[in-house]
Amino acid sequence: MRNRRAALATIAGAVSLALTLSACGQDSGGSSESGGTIGIALPTQASERWVTEGKSVVQDLKAKGYQAKLVYGEDKPATQVSQIDNLIKQGVDALIIAAIDNKSLNDVLQQAADAGIPVISYDRLILGTKNVDYYVSFDNEQVGRLQARYIIDKLGLEDGKGPFNIELFAGSPDDNNTKYFFDGALTLLQPYLDSKQLIVRSGQTELSEVTTLRWDGPTAQKRMSAILAESYGSKTVDAVLSPYDGISLGILSALKADGYGSGSKPLPVITGQDAELASVKSIIAGEQSQTIYKDVRQLAEVAADMADNILNDKTPRLNSRRAYNNGVKPVPAYLLQPTSVDKSNYDLVLVASGYYTAAELK
Ligand code: GAL
């Protein structure tokens, strides 16, 4: 590590350092007796989860004696590329990256490799490059399965109830997780679509038809409004598969604007993911039905441990039976387990674990 830092000193001049700090915005410096500096590039501060885990990763790294430089690309792939480029020029010892666009990082990761900087793909698998060393995430297919299971149980599909109307939403097409969530959910929902116990009135069932660029709530809201106007008439929608809380809230806005949520037109079963505060409050208020809780504090801890191990020439802890193929190579992985949360268990899962205080949920 020290050697790599020395080698990098030539490209990490004072000028580029100053430029980088102002471009990156946040410099979360650690103790002066640092074991090195880790660059952390996360997608956006617009979603709570990334803010929470940005703080967690920085804290965990500091506790291990590292400095951390945390940057957010605000959902702009080109910004993230230049932020990572700046981190490399500053001479970071390792990179922890949650990609905005999983295929846009190939060139900048080649620079990282040339500088001997190891890369951890955080939450989202980076595709199309050999220059990614490890992958740490949740079991993303299980996320989709839990969302589908919730819909199946709430509608009573296993008891033969139906037919019901459902609409399908997926995440950003440039995020590799999108496919895992959708495939996981469809594995369980497909038999009911085939038997017509579930009907998609919009006809939009292919992943390419149901994605939501950058996981954007207003984009999902527009799509839901259009579907209600074009495909529903006097019919009502009974369930919506939503992959992420921000999208769920957008869908809810469209539904409410169409009169759902009042006596004669109850809100459909609507899933989500990330247990973001606004969505947990919505669940308590009886609007969004469910979310997936992923303890991102644990994800942060595993990533910090991995970085520490790599930089000390130890093999990081891995727990996934399969390495994840990123199109170029199998990337060894550590996967955490997600938990389904609704009105019946949010107290136990979210408050008892200290993820939220009871006061925050008021
Ligand atoms: C995914 C992530 C989800 C959600 C989404 C939008 O990559 O796995 O938990 O956060 O991005 O940010």
Side-chain angles (χ1 to χ4, degrees):
M1 174 172 64
R2 308 275 170 205
N3 288 347
R4 182 166 50 245
R5 286 181 68 87
L8 285 167
T10 48
I11 52 170
V15 174
S16 79
L17 181 68
L19 277 176
T20 306
L21 287 179
S22 60
C24 291
Q26 267 173 279
D27 177 20
S28 309
S31 68
S32 51
E33 302 217 297
S34 168
T37 303
I38 318 289
I40 308 149
L42 298 184
T44 175
Q45 297 181 84
S47 163
E48 240 168 64
R49 69 158 286 185
W50 301 115
V51 177
T52 307
E53 57 211 291
K55 286 185 196 142
S56 292
V57 182
V58 169
Q59 255 176 26
D60 293 341
L61 288 171
K62 278 186 174 181
K64 293 178 188 301
Y66 293 92
Q67 292 194 346
K69 292 188 183 296
L70 170 64
V71 296
Y72 286 93
E74 302 314 344
D75 270 341
K76 297 195 182 68
T79 304
Q80 185 170 58
V81 169
S82 78
Q83 287 179 331
I84 294 170
D85 178 58
N86 282 331
L87 289 168
I88 294 169
K89 290 195 174 113
Q90 286 181 63
V92 294
D93 297 288
L95 283 163
I96 296 175
I97 301 171
I100 295 167
D101 173 349
N102 61 44
K103 287 189 185 126
S104 68
L105 302 177
N106 295 3
D107 291 346
V108 80
L109 292 190
Q110 187 55 51
Q111 289 175 45
D114 294 345
I117 300 171
V119 173
I120 297 170
S121 195
Y122 185 85
D123 192 80
R124 303 171 173 177
L125 185 60
I126 299 169
L127 302 183
T129 171
K130 64 179 186 325
N131 301 314
V132 46
D133 296 282
Y134 293 99
Y135 174 45
V136 51
S137 190
F138 285 83
D139 180 342
N140 292 312
E141 278 152 346
Q142 176 67 356
V143 169
R145 286 194 290 266
L146 288 175
Q147 290 163 337
R149 164 70 28 217
Y150 194 82
I151 291 172
I152 291 167
D153 289 348
K154 284 292 148 181
L155 296 182
L157 297 178
E158 280 175 345
D159 301 332
K161 293 191 184 151
F164 293 106
N165 296 322
I166 186 170
E167 292 298 332
L168 310 175
F169 283 73
S172 196
D174 50 10
D175 182 339
N176 190 54
N177 289 348
T178 291
K179 181 171 63 70
Y180 293 142
F181 299 148
F182 193 70
D183 287 353
L186 265 284
T187 307
L188 298 196
L189 295 180
Q190 196 61 51
Y192 300 105
L193 294 167
D194 292 343
S195 69
K196 308 241 179 319
Q197 248 176 294
L198 287 178
I199 295 165
V200 181
R201 300 202 81 85
S202 68
Q204 296 168 12
T205 53
E206 294 300 318
L207 178 58
S208 60
E209 298 173 300
V210 304
T211 53
T212 314
L213 188 63
R214 302 281 134 68
W215 304 90
D216 181 52
T219 301
Q221 178 176 349
K222 265 189 223 134
R223 179 167 167 253
M224 188 74 220
S225 295
I227 288 174
L228 291 172
E230 284 158 24
S231 308
Y232 278 82
S234 59
K235 308 274 187 210
T236 52
V237 60
D238 303 299
V240 183
L241 173 73
S242 165
Y244 157 63
D245 286 348
I247 289 178
S248 316
L249 294 185
I251 294 166
L252 270 167
S253 300
L255 289 163
K256 286 197 213 166
D258 201 61
Y260 284 83
S262 58
S264 58
K265 227 177 165 187
L267 283 164
V269 177
I270 171 161
T271 59
Q273 175 177 197
D274 281 354
E276 295 204 325
L277 191 55
S279 280
V280 178
K281 286 184 174 172
S282 173
I283 289 172
I284 296 169
E287 296 196 333
Q288 188 173 321
S289 317
Q290 179 261 10
T291 187
I292 300 288
Y293 167 58
K294 305 196 296 195
D295 190 341
V296 293
R297 299 167 303 182
Q298 279 181 28
L299 189 66
E301 201 181 310
V302 175
D305 267 356
M306 261 186 186
D308 186 37
N309 283 325
I310 298 169
L311 293 177
N312 287 296
D313 295 324
K314 291 187 195 145
T315 307
R317 239 172 352 129
L318 301 171
N319 72 347
S320 175
R321 272 176 287 130
R322 66 165 158 138
Y324 276 68
N325 198 311
N326 78 342
V328 173
K329 68 178 230 188
V331 185
Y334 190 103
L335 298 187
L336 292 154
Q337 282 307 311
T339 309
S340 184
V341 170
D342 72 356
K343 213 172 175 171
S344 70
N345 69 346
Y346 76 88
D347 234 359
L348 196 66
V349 179
L350 301 177
V351 181
S353 69
Y355 198 71
Y356 291 122
T357 62
E360 282 172 312
L361 300 181
K362 287 264 149 44

